[in-house]
Amino acid sequence: MSESSILPVRGRAVRPSGRHRRPVPSQLPPEAPALVLATLGDATGAVAELAALVRGDNPQIEVRLAGLGEDGKALTAELEAAARERPEDGVAAIVVPILTGPHPVADRLIAMAVAASGASVTVTDSLGPHPLLAEALHIRLAEKDLARADRMRLLNVSSPVDAVILATVGGEKAAAEAQPTAVLLASRLTLPVVVASLDSAPAVADAAERLRG
């Protein structure tokens, strides 16, 4: 997939307000830490869309994306690259796991990658349920002609499908953690969105039967 195909579809930056959110400065010093988004597997699909959205909304932040793969080496490389561009006595990067909740495998790979990089790094909690996840999924559905979107507000205006099954991996806990994202996606699409698991209950077939019912 070319970089141009994963650019955000929004035409303007959207900066949510609220007492729990501090505004991001319009400019940051060159030595400001990079924001490194870490994801299981490779850095493609919906997570690439999410990274593009973050870049579009925050052009003053250096946003990097790394898939953890099987050994975390891609993340190590990103952290090393970020460290080379920053003072040795500063924080090189802030790593945000793009996951709906804690994940033992991802946590271990991230810890290994940080240690191998030798860089000064801050690792945050997992992103958790977040509107950006629903937005990225909406974009992917629209690209496959499975949803239509208002380009300014990214709300569904019509759809060729009747419902969506949001499939997860990681067992029943991962399926439960995906429920808030399913609710957010359903509100965007104005369609039913049901969570299913590829490696536990509820199975995809059960979700499909539930929707047919």
Side-chain angles (χ1 to χ4, degrees):
M1 181 182 294
S2 66
E3 185 172 344
S4 61
S5 68
I6 62 171
L7 291 176
V9 299
R10 287 185 289 188
R12 58 186 176 86
V14 177
R15 303 192 183 281
S17 61
R19 65 187 180 93
H20 296 299
R21 189 185 194 281
R22 285 185 285 179
V24 178
S26 59
Q27 292 185 334
L28 293 173
E31 66 272 16
L35 176 63
V36 182
L37 308 179
T39 181
L40 286 171
D42 57 18
T44 60
V47 71
E49 299 287 359
L50 188 150
L53 291 170
V54 175
R55 291 189 186 101
D57 279 353
N58 304 278
Q60 74 278 31
I61 299 176
E62 180 188 353
V63 179
R64 294 173 176 265
L65 176 61
L68 294 173
E70 296 182 356
D71 53 19
K73 290 184 177 180
L75 177 57
T76 297
E78 292 292 345
L79 297 178
E80 291 174 341
R84 286 194 294 270
E85 299 172 2
R86 288 165 175 81
E88 292 183 3
D89 59 350
V91 177
I94 297 174
V95 177
V96 180
I98 306 302
L99 298 163
T100 56
H103 192 290
V105 173
D107 294 344
R108 176 177 58 81
L109 290 173
I110 290 172
M112 290 171 52
V114 170
S117 73
S120 177
V121 175
T122 297
V123 180
T124 74
D125 292 335
S126 300
L127 180 65
H130 194 284
L132 277 174
L133 294 176
E135 183 167 355
L137 290 171
H138 190 172
I139 292 170
R140 299 298 290 176
L141 289 169
E143 288 178 345
K144 299 297 183 181
D145 295 325
L146 298 175
R148 297 283 298 278
D150 176 324
R151 296 180 74 85
M152 289 301 292
R153 291 180 297 277
L154 226 69
L155 299 175
N156 213 44
V157 292
S158 64
S159 176
V161 299
D162 297 321
V164 172
I165 296 175
L166 179 58
T168 67
V169 293
E172 294 183 10
K173 182 178 180 181
E177 290 171 344
Q179 289 291 347
T181 302
V183 172
L184 291 169
L185 183 60
S187 68
R188 301 178 71 86
L189 299 176
T190 62
L191 291 172
V193 178
V194 176
V195 174
S197 175
L198 296 177
D199 53 9
S200 73
V204 173
D206 295 335
E209 185 61 31
R210 174 183 168 189
L211 289 170
R212 279 193 293 267

